[in-house]
Every structure is written in structure tokens, then in C-alpha cells.
Amino acid sequence: MGKKSGKKGGKRITRPELAERIENFFRGRPDQVVPFKELFRQLRLDTHPMKMLAIDIMEDMAWDDFLVKVTDSSYKLADSTQVMEGIFQAKSNGRNSIMPDGSDKPIFVAERNSKWAMTGDRVRFCIMARRRTHIREAEVLEIIQRKKDQFVGKLMVEEDMAFLVPQEPVSVNIIVPRKKLKGGKTGDRAVVKVIAWPDGEHRSILAEVVDILGEMGENNAEMNAILAQYGLPYKYPQEVEDAANKISDQIPQEEIDRREDFRQVFTCTIDPHDAKDFDDALSIRRMDNGLWEVGVHIADVSHYVTEGSIIDKEAQKRATSIYLVDRTIPMLPERLCNYICSLRPDEDKLAYSVIFEMDDEAQIKAHRIVHTVIRSNRRYCYEEVQKVIEDNGNGNGNDPYTEQLLTLDRLAKKLREERFKNGSVKFDREEMRFDIDETGKPLRVYFKRSQDANKLIEEFMLAANKCVAESVGRVPKGKKAKTLPYRIHEQPDPIKLEQLKQFAVRFGYKMKSTSTKGATARAINALMDECEGRVESNTIQRVALKAMMKAKYSTHNVGHFGLAFDYYTHFTSPIRRYPDTMVHRLLTRYEQGGKSANQDKYEELCEHSSDMEQIAANAERDSIKYKMVEYMGQFIGEEYDAHISGLMSYGIYAEIDENHCEGMISIHDLKDDYYEFDERNFCLVGRRHHNTYQLGEAIRIKVVKANLEKRQLDFVIVE
């Protein structure tokens, strides 16, 4: 009869002996996440006291940074490297952190140990010896690379010198010598460039003004300040504009002869009412074999923007158009994006097209990807098409293309139904919009949801993107696919999915446990359907979105979880997205028999495009925040019904029910108790009276402050 590991030579294993076994066990599995059950089985710990002792030892080892706690019931060996690298994140409250390379767990950095690093800086750091009951801390040893050398903020001009009060948290003063002010005065929004960084002797940044954006509070100054804060362009280089102005808008006959001619087929664009860059159009006609021929026609940007040209280099750097509340900052010069490439009505245009042949059930029987010449019959806005759809051909006889639009809508609905049946995730988010006057002042805030007209365009664009990705990526077994930028979306974080499941239970919803991609998507969709139309719907959807990974560009295809597509790319918006232009060029290259492009080069471009997409999204969000605060500034003292939309250790975020404007209630304004943040249960809990504030809970608030400088609304709870 074998010995049990809980005993040794008739004696129970001592704590030091078990600690040694656990240490050796983890050292032998340096990259493995080990669940408790696996450790108990391998070390043959089959009594409850020994299991509890092992858990206690592992907790101590995590405190000593020998192990890293991955979940509540698993650990892995910590990185034994004493000196590591990561990205620094500054916070205005001094709770700075470093995100180590290869980790998603930030490490706290006290101000005194930051070496004056700024947000986004790449730093070399070490883990400090941990004091009992204290959190893990890091110390910056060296700033390897500065993220930026320009800052945006408000000038404060004094007698001898001037200061910049930056928009973002910076731990040191930014001093501007008077002779470097470029005419700036107190209250101006300015962009400054660093002349000298802090060092052992000087704790301040020395800078010079490179641009005065205007007076604080003036709309253009504030919008340009948001762009400059993220290092985004707010002007177009003149030499690039000049290059665009030299491009001819005439299409040579020999170019038309090389292409499929769709100029006699009904074609239309459907876009927002204020759009000017029409980069996609749809055509439809009934074929002699009874099938529908639907053409997804995309502006042929790559015909006009040649690789390596001055226009291409600028577009590559920008990677995306940026949509602030009151303006668009285009990726391409205006002559190209709004005129030459834009698929304007009643003009011959060059396109790159995916032509589908489909039956009445929207089953695709054949397709081809071809260069075309088109002529749009009509430019529709979404509202016009929506009216045609809602009237269903009745009372709308003035539109000669009613039948074509209704057929496109019917086919799109079939495509959508099939997509959801195959496991596509349903997220139907509202978008905050503003009516603004000529000065940029917001007059009204409202929300838009996707309607049938929007979904019609969406479905055909998804189908085209999927088809293009499959045409390159789907190859016979044993053969390697050629390089292509894919739009990928990895499976959700299982820990966050579990948190979503627990959160949904609080509202009475049961979300099924899942083990496959399809089952996960079905469980999320069932939850979205169940809570649709309820007051908690937005909150649950927000928690569900947080469980999702971010979609990004990569040449390494892992599929798209959200759409349930094995192959997906971006092909349909080359006027406003650089990856689409890359895809157009590669398709043309492969169509002409070219060999596979350099994967490393395109992976680098994919990473850059993903980064710029996120930066642009942050700028767009900040412009919405600014307009939201500006709009609510006229309602100081007003009370509203609201819901708790977020919880942090420093306070409560609440969203007003009627307009979805979000503000913060400081934890210092919760006077009835001392509140602690329970992250796992999404709530704040009072220490004495155990009163709780729960995510999604209905509350009554009063607007007390609208701080435009911080882009923040302050609320208090009305008892």
C-alpha cells in the first residue's frame, strides 16, 4: 500500500517540506497556469488540511512575488527577471502604474519612484521588496523611449515666465520661457514642444510654444486641442494637398475598357445625411437565370493613391479618418475623399467590386471580385431609404427605385438572419448625437439606433469583406495562404464572461455556462434578447462589451468571434481606413499573379493601424464628452432620474435616463458612511451600515457642476 503524500515516514509533511515541493513543482512548469486540482493531484494532497495548507503557502508565495495569482483557483510561476520593461501610465491622483510587457496586470508606482515618466513612456523597472499588507510596487530605473514630446494645455503667463497647464496628468511643471511664447497669453490653448526633460538637477520640463490654437472655450480651439492631445493632425500638409490637386479627375477610355462596365445597372449610395465621402455603392438587377446580381462597389482609392507616394505616406501615418462631433479629419486630402474617389451620383467612377449572384433566400451561388466602372443613379441618406422600407412601396410612388430598394432590404434581412443563426453576436448600441449651431454649440442631444436602412448597408458590406478574406485566406489543406491584413476578434476573456454571468444573476437573468465559441455567442445573444427594452439593458450590454476582446488588424488570422466568421477583412472603406487600401493593393497584386507580400511589413502596418484606430476612438469619445458637458452646463441645479453606469474606488458614475449624459458622484459626497469598492460584485458597500450602491441601480441625481476643462459632469445623489 503506497504512502499518502499527506504523511511522510508516518509523520505529516511539515509546512517547509510542502513549500519546497510546491516550489519545485512550479519551477518545473515555468509557463504553465496550474489549477488547484492539478496541483493537489500531482502532489497527492488528498486530505482537506493539506489542501488548505498548500493554498496558504501559495498565497504567501504570491505575496513574495514567486507566484502570480491568475484566477481565484490557479497560479503560475512569476517572471523571475528582476528588471523588466513596460508602459507607464500617469494618474492625476498620483496612483501611477506600469503595464509590464506580456501582462495585463498593472503594477503601482509611487510618484517618488516614477523618475518623472509620462503616460505612454516605455520604461525599464524593477519590482520593489514588498512590505507585509502592502500592494506590489515598482520603481522606474530608466525611461527608454518617450511616447511624445508635445503637450497641449492652457497657458498661464506671468511676469518672468509662463506655464502650461496640460490636459493630461503630468507630475512636473511645464515651463515656457517668455521669448518662446509665440504671442500666447493667459487662457490660450497651446501646443508646446519639449526643449529639455527633467533630470537630476531640474524637476521641470522646459518647452516652447509651437502653435496657439485659440482662446479656451472657443469651439475650434477645444476640438483642435483634443486632436493635438492625442498627437493627431488638425491641419493637412500643404504639399500633400498640392499633390492631390494635380491628380486628374478624367477617366481615360483605355482604363474603362479594362474594367467591367456597370454604368447601365441601377446603382445607389446610402449614407448619413451629412456625408460627403461616399466610398460604397450597391447595384442590383435580375439575371436571366432568375438569380439576383448584387454588386458591392467600393471606391478604387488605390488606382489614384500609388504606394510610396507623398499622399500614401500621409494616409499611412494617419491610418484612419477621425470623426469628432462637429467635423471630420479625413485620412485623404479633400479633393480625393470628397470628389475624385467619392462615388457621387451621375458621375462615372472607378470602383473595386464584389459581385454576388444570389437566390431569393440570399444564398450566394457565385461571386467575383473585379475592377469596375460605375455610375450612381441616386444618392440616398438613411432616412429616405428607411421611409421607403417602412412604407413598403405604399404611398411612396414618387421614388422610381422602390422595388430595387425593397429587394435589397429583403435580401439583407435574410443574410442577417443567417449570420445570427451561425453564431454572430447581437449588439445594438445607441449612438449619442448632437444638433449643433454654426458656432459648434450643442442645442440638442439625442440617440440613434441602427434601423433597417443602416442594417441593409451593413449586411452587404459584411458579406463583401468576408468574401474578400476567404478569396485569399481559404486555401487547400497543406498550402499556405498569401499575406493579407485580416480584421480579427478573439474569443472573450473567460474570467470576464463569468463576471458577466454573475452580474446578470443580480437582475434575475440566467446565462448559460459555455465551452465553445458558438455556445458562448448563443448565451450572450439570449441574454441580450431577454433584457432588451428593460432599464438595465444598457448596463448589462456595457458589462458584456467589457468581456469582449478588442477587434484589431493582423496578418495572423484567428477569425472574428463577434461576427462568427472564420475569415474577415476590411475592404469596403478605403477612403477612411488605410487597411482597406492595403487589401485593395494586395488583391490586385495577387489577381495579376504576384507572389505573397512580406508578412512582417504588413503585420507592422496592421499594428500601427490598430493603434491609430484606438487613438482616434479616444479623441472621438473626448469630443462627445466635451459637448455633453457643454450641453449640460445650462442645467446646473436640475434633478434627473439616472442609473449607476460605473463604479470606482473614488466614486460612482451615473447616466441620466432621458439623455444618457454621464457624470460622476465623488465618494467624498457620500456622507452617510465610509464606502469601500467591491470590484468582484460591482458595488460600493458602506462599512458601518452596509448600504450598497450597485451597478445598474436606479438613483435620483442633481447636476452640480459642468467642468469643461476636465470634460467632466459632477452630480450628487438626491435623497
Side-chain angles (χ1 to χ4, degrees), residues 155-166:
L155 281 177
M156 301 293 289
V157 182
E158 298 181 356
E159 193 172 331
D160 299 325
M161 65 179 71
F163 297 87
L164 185 87
V165 181

Side-chain angles (χ1 to χ4, degrees), residues 166-185:
Q167 190 67 45
E168 62 202 278
V170 174
S171 58
V172 294
N173 291 325
I174 300 177
I175 297 172
V176 183
R178 285 188 69 92
K179 61 183 179 182
K180 300 283 188 182
L181 273 172
K182 211 174 179 178
K185 57 189 185 300

Side-chain angles (χ1 to χ4, degrees), residues 121-391:
D121 288 353
R122 171 161 284 281
V123 298
R124 189 167 284 117
F125 68 96
C126 67
I127 304 296
M128 300 174 68
R130 181 184 277 174
R131 292 171 289 165
R132 200 66 162 140
T133 75
H134 282 63
I135 61 170
R136 198 178 185 208
E137 281 193 53
E139 178 183 7
V140 175
L141 302 174
E142 179 191 355
I143 296 165
I144 301 167
Q145 185 178 15
R146 292 286 186 181
K147 172 72 173 176
K148 57 199 271 187
D149 63 356
Q150 290 193 353
F151 294 91
V152 183
K154 178 177 69 173
L155 281 177
M156 301 293 289
V157 182
E158 298 181 356
E159 193 172 331
D160 299 325
M161 65 179 71
F163 297 87
L164 185 87
V165 181
Q167 190 67 45
E168 62 202 278
V170 174
S171 58
V172 294
N173 291 325
I174 300 177
I175 297 172
V176 183
R178 285 188 69 92
K179 61 183 179 182
K180 300 283 188 182
L181 273 172
K182 211 174 179 178
K185 57 189 185 300
T186 293
D188 279 350
R189 284 275 185 218
V191 182
V192 303
K193 187 176 177 68
V194 176
I195 302 170
W197 292 101
D199 55 30
E201 294 180 33
H202 306 98
R203 283 199 54 179
S204 298
I205 288 173
L206 196 64
E208 62 180 347
V209 172
V210 294
D211 204 359
I212 300 294
L213 302 175
E215 289 186 20
M216 194 176 145
E218 192 269 318
N219 186 63
N220 273 336
E222 295 298 343
M223 293 300 106
N224 286 340
I226 289 170
L227 293 166
Q229 180 188 338
Y230 288 102
L232 296 169
Y234 49 93
K235 299 174 184 171
Y236 222 97
Q238 190 57 49
E239 62 271 23
V240 182
E241 294 275 15
D242 292 343
N245 290 334
K246 290 174 185 172
I247 295 174
S248 172
D249 60 349
Q250 300 301 306
I251 304 173
Q253 185 59 45
E254 58 266 29
E255 186 60 44
I256 291 174
D257 293 342
R258 279 196 288 266
R259 295 169 177 255
E260 281 199 39
D261 194 336
F262 274 77
R263 288 176 294 177
Q264 302 306 313
V265 183
F266 164 72
T267 304
C268 68
T269 59
I270 308 173
D271 291 279
H273 68 88
D274 55 352
K276 294 176 184 172
D277 53 346
F278 313 136
D279 53 12
D280 57 77
L282 291 177
S283 69
I284 185 168
R285 64 180 167 186
R286 178 76 88 168
M287 300 170 68
D288 293 340
N289 61 8
L291 296 176
W292 293 103
E293 181 192 72
V294 178
V296 180
H297 306 286
I298 308 303
D300 194 355
V301 170
S302 60
H303 174 82
Y304 296 100
V305 181
T306 54
E307 193 167 3
S309 66
I310 188 172
I311 299 173
D312 182 52
K313 286 175 181 173
E314 183 67 23
Q316 187 184 108
K317 187 167 72 175
R318 293 176 178 232
T320 179
S321 292
I322 304 153
Y323 298 89
L324 303 189
V325 168
D326 69 332
R327 68 194 65 197
T328 298
I329 296 85
M331 182 181 80
L332 296 171
E334 188 175 337
R335 177 171 167 80
L336 283 173
C337 66
N338 291 352
Y339 176 45
I340 291 179
C341 295
S342 185
L343 306 180
R344 300 172 0 145
D346 302 318
E347 295 178 12
D348 289 356
K349 294 291 178 180
L350 300 182
Y352 209 167
S353 308
V354 181
I355 312 299
F356 294 109
E357 293 178 22
M358 52 178 65
D359 63 18
D360 282 321
E361 295 301 308
Q363 294 295 312
I364 297 168
K365 301 300 182 182
H367 75 269
R368 62 190 188 278
I369 303 168
V370 288
H371 288 89
T372 57
V373 58
I374 69 166
R375 189 177 182 90
S376 173
N377 298 81
R378 175 75 191 270
R379 175 265 199 269
Y380 286 101
C381 63
Y382 285 122
E383 290 79 7
E384 291 170 320
V385 175
Q386 188 62 32
K387 181 164 177 24
V388 172
I389 293 169
E390 288 174 1
D391 288 348

Side-chain angles (χ1 to χ4, degrees), residues 503 507 539 543 644-647 681-683 693-697:
F503 180 65
F507 293 93
T539 307
V543 176
I644 293 175
S645 56
L647 291 158
N681 293 305
F682 300 98
C683 63
Y693 288 104
Q694 181 78 48
L695 194 62
E697 183 182 333

Side-chain angles (χ1 to χ4, degrees), residues 88-98 107-119 121 128 131 135 137-141 143 146 168-173 198 203 205:
F88 190 86
Q89 178 72 46
K91 294 284 177 64
S92 54
N93 60 6
R95 295 195 64 80
N96 312 314
S97 63
I98 293 172
I107 304 169
F108 171 70
V109 185
E111 201 69 69
R112 64 183 177 277
N113 297 320
S114 71
K115 233 178 178 64
W116 308 296
M118 312 285 171
T119 293
D121 288 353
M128 300 174 68
R131 292 171 289 165
I135 61 170
E137 281 193 53
E139 178 183 7
V140 175
L141 302 174
I143 296 165
R146 292 286 186 181
E168 62 202 278
V170 174
S171 58
V172 294
N173 291 325
R203 283 199 54 179
I205 288 173

